Amino acid sequence: MVASVHPLATEAGLAALRRGGNAVDAAVAVGLTLGVVDGKNSGLGGGCFILIRRADGQLIAIDGRETAPANATRDMYLRDGKPRPELSQQGPLAVATPGALAAYDLAIREHGRLTLSEIILPAAEIAERGFLLDRSNASAQASAGRILARVNGGTCSLLKPDGSPWQEGERLQQPDLAKSLRGIAREGVDHFYRGPIAEQVGQWMAEHGGILSRDDFANYRPVLREPLVTKYRDWTIVGFPPPSSGGVHVAQILNILEPFDLQEHYRRDPGQYQHLLAEAMKLAFADRAYWLGDPDHARVPRGLVDKQYARQLAARIDLNRVTKVAGHGDPTAADERVFEKHTTHIATADAAGNWVAMTQTINTTYGSKVIVPGTGIVLNNEMDDFAIAPGAPNAFGLVGAEANAVAPGKRPLSSMSPTIVLRGQTPILSVGAAGGPTIITQSLQAIVRRLDLELPLADAISQPRIHHQWSPDRLRVESRLDDQLKKDLRLRGHVLDEVGNMGVSQAVEYDDQTRLFRGVADPRVPGRAAGP
Ligand code: GLY
């Protein structure tokens, strides 16, 4: 079963399964194809987290998060002492060293059955042949077209030759990207990290005021992390550890909610149920802003996922009223027990028992907007996921502290939350999302709705979502949320921001009654979930 945001990417994953590949090969095939057909969200120029449950039961977390260039400095986005977010969000200085390809390569070498070249060539063919732009790609081109053209000196390979955006239904061909993909198929990842692509990017950066260098590419390494395994009622939640904040905070929020009978609240008083979720989210995000960062550079307390700490936080929730949360809490033994360390989510599973939850990103739409001529690769703006100054909000309005300050070689904090749920030893759900900090709260709501509320998976993904990230102190809700619920939340003291659609989630589950997989691609975008 394969679930992704684009039918061509899902088809690439299914083709990998049909050729004898497993769920890992399928996830990487989807990831590489999304870089071609959904380049606004992810691709070779970005990073990813790959969470794998192997058929033999082993749990693997591959960290392909981008790293800050060696010449990055803590205050590189300050001018006259003031933060300049536009520098971390667009153009050469926004780009961190890409990690996705190195992570894909490690995943399939150690846990797949196909070769990188077998998986990458079909993606190269789509780049060459072109594909018809859907509504979401066309609207991203329309809104980012001017910036893409400006950042790339008048025009770029993603736009029409006259610099205007492609329209829905038109065919987008990417010959430069096809050439890059074919070069990698021929020469392996060295073509990217130690060959012509690193050279071209390094040279362009030196000529355009960037700091990312050929050596940053050569020095990039994916990191094997210890998956974050916690208990929630009868289930085991397997999450991604820092530099993802997703695993920690999905687990922390579930821990805060555990003393409550969520199904009972949902049935008897749905407003109270939504309020409870919002208050738990707020408490966790206050901790995120203070404690979370790259565990190789900052001391991230393991106590954040302790049950006892969660009980203390849960006790602060008033079921009838908003509680003011002034700042972070103090998890158990914060000094001693630490973690040693716009986006898209892919869920795959195979009959042998391999499961993958993989989230990948170049950060916001078209990342830094930089496409170094000749490469066709959209470079990320992941540097904006650092706290560029204490308290300065990033593109998602998130604030951070010292733990997430810029430093050379450091990985910016992420919200990506690839999650696998087990009952006993049996995997039953792979889930994750796209959409900045809402990734955490989308994944959480999918889990709670499926496990606690026992909603069908399709409803767990499609029903309207809420999101609270502590700062700003406002509750974001999808406008489709029932009017009575909105009224109820306002009466409890929430200030509501209504938005159209919030994020995009994908999930795969195993139904032990029918002994079948079920996949769901979020209906908010035209994705697809299917089996071979
Ligand atoms: N770039 C979004 C995230 O990793 O959270």
Side-chain angles (χ1 to χ4, degrees):
M1 179 62 66
V2 177
S4 88
V5 294
H6 200 289
L8 287 174
T10 296
E11 184 48 41
L14 297 176
L17 290 174
R18 284 189 213 110
R19 277 205 306 276
N22 64 13
V24 179
D25 300 304
V28 171
V30 175
L32 280 162
T33 308
L34 284 173
V36 177
V37 299
D38 190 43
K40 63 186 187 301
N41 283 322
S42 69
L44 294 177
C48 65
F49 293 140
I50 311 178
L51 187 65
I52 301 171
R53 186 271 184 190
R54 287 170 47 111
D56 63 9
Q58 257 191 85
L59 300 171
I60 309 288
I62 300 175
D63 172 355
R65 183 71 164 163
E66 301 90 330
T67 52
N71 285 330
T73 57
R74 194 178 187 289
D75 296 335
M76 65 186 276
Y77 300 112
L78 303 188
R79 297 290 180 272
D80 301 324
K82 295 207 177 64
R84 292 271 300 274
E86 71 277 16
L87 297 175
S88 63
Q89 290 174 12
Q90 278 168 25
L93 288 177
V95 186
T97 317
L101 181 64
Y104 298 158
D105 181 53
L106 177 61
I108 55 172
R109 267 190 296 111
E110 306 258 317
H111 310 289
R113 293 203 200 119
L114 303 179
T115 62
L116 183 62
S117 149
E118 284 174 294
I119 295 176
I120 214 168
L121 283 172
E125 271 158 37
I126 299 176
E128 202 141 61
R129 201 172 60 234
F131 68 100
L132 303 182
L133 242 63
D134 63 15
R135 185 171 27 90
S136 81
N137 267 311
S139 88
Q141 284 237 341
S143 59
R146 274 218 334 268
I147 308 174
L148 275 168
R150 181 172 52 71
V151 170
N152 291 288
T155 184
C156 81
S157 54
L158 268 179
L159 300 169
K160 290 183 177 173
D162 67 358
S164 63
W166 295 93
Q167 308 292 319
E168 182 176 356
E170 291 184 326
R171 180 172 292 273
L172 174 64
Q173 292 174 298
Q174 300 169 83
D176 290 345
L177 180 57
K179 188 167 76 95
S180 294
L181 290 163
R182 286 194 195 287
I184 298 164
R186 212 174 41 245
E187 294 168 15
V189 296
D190 277 357
H191 184 83
F192 185 88
Y193 285 105
R194 286 166 201 85
I197 294 177
E199 287 284 347
Q200 279 167 284
V201 173
Q203 193 178 334
W204 187 93
M205 288 287 168
E207 288 165 3
H208 292 82
I211 55 170
L212 182 65
S213 73
R214 200 177 64 163
D215 288 348
D216 289 315
F217 275 70
N219 292 331
Y220 185 85
R221 299 284 179 278
V223 177
L224 275 177
R225 306 265 177 207
E226 187 189 332
L228 178 60
V229 180
T230 54
K231 295 297 281 184
Y232 175 61
R233 308 192 202 278
D234 293 338
W235 300 282
T236 300
I237 309 293
V238 186
F240 209 98
S244 164
S245 62
V248 167
H249 293 306
V250 167
Q252 183 188 21
I253 300 171
L254 288 172
N255 284 344
I256 296 172
L257 296 173
E258 201 169 40
F260 301 93
D261 183 340
L262 294 179
Q263 191 166 113
E264 185 65 14
H265 284 289
Y266 179 69
R267 291 229 169 96
R268 275 222 330 254
D269 189 346
Q272 194 176 62
Y273 159 82
Q274 302 283 4
H275 165 73
L276 182 51
L277 256 57
E279 292 295 277
M281 291 171 186
K282 186 165 69 183
L283 286 161
F285 271 84
D287 279 349
R288 185 191 188 281
Y290 183 77
W291 291 110
L292 267 284
D294 180 347
D296 296 339
H297 292 252
R299 294 173 66 78
V300 183
R302 281 188 169 271
L304 287 166
V305 296
D306 275 0
K307 298 281 184 196
Q308 191 198 342
Y309 177 55
R311 298 283 188 274
Q312 283 171 28
L313 296 180
R316 292 171 59 186
I317 296 177
D318 177 337
L319 284 173
N320 298 312
R321 243 353 261 168
V322 156
T323 306
K324 198 94 202 131
V325 175
H328 65 90
D330 289 304
T332 336
D335 280 342
E336 293 147 35
R337 294 169 48 238
V338 294
F339 284 96
E340 287 94 32
K341 304 265 165 197
H342 284 78
T343 307
T344 190
H345 183 75
I346 298 153
T348 65
D350 67 32
N354 298 292
W355 286 63
V356 180
M358 167 163 136
T359 314
Q360 59 178 32
T361 188
I362 51 173
N363 200 18
T364 55
T365 307
Y366 296 113
S368 64
K369 317 287 188 291
V370 174
I371 304 171
V372 170
T375 66
I377 296 170
V378 185
L379 293 171
N380 69 82
N381 59 344
E382 224 67 65
M383 294 296 282
D384 191 57
D385 273 346
F386 282 116
I388 63 169
N394 75 357
F396 301 110
L398 288 167
V399 291
E402 192 56 39
N404 192 31
V406 182
K410 186 173 175 181
R411 283 158 150 87
L413 183 61
S414 171
S415 296
M416 295 190 288
S417 315
T419 308
I420 294 175
V421 179
L422 313 176
R423 189 189 299 114
Q425 297 301 314
T426 309
I428 54 163
L429 181 66
S430 167
V431 65
T438 73
I439 293 174
I440 297 174
T441 53
Q442 288 177 67
S443 305
L444 168 90
Q445 285 168 95
I447 291 169
V448 163
R449 288 170 181 178
R450 185 69 194 102
L451 303 185
D452 287 295
L453 309 186
E454 299 175 355
L455 298 183
L457 189 61
D459 294 348
I461 299 292
S462 67
Q463 284 199 357
R465 303 177 176 125
I466 64 166
H467 170 76
H468 203 305
Q469 62 182 52
W470 175 62
S471 173
D473 187 4
R474 303 173 79 88
L475 181 61
R476 210 180 300 167
V477 301
E478 286 186 316
S479 46
R480 292 183 291 122
L481 190 75
D482 184 76
D483 283 339
Q484 190 53 45
L485 283 179
K486 287 185 221 162
K487 200 168 148 201
D488 185 306
L489 287 164
R490 286 194 178 99
L491 281 174
R492 286 173 208 266
H494 292 280
V495 180
L496 264 51
D497 283 337
E498 294 193 37
V499 296
N501 283 335
M502 186 155 58
V504 179
S505 296
Q506 264 64 242
V508 165
E509 70 172 0
Y510 179 69
D511 180 341
D512 27 12
Q513 309 266 295
T514 57
R515 306 188 63 217
L516 289 173
F517 290 115
R518 188 177 295 118
V520 174
D522 198 319
R524 290 166 182 81
V525 294
R528 182 175 173 228

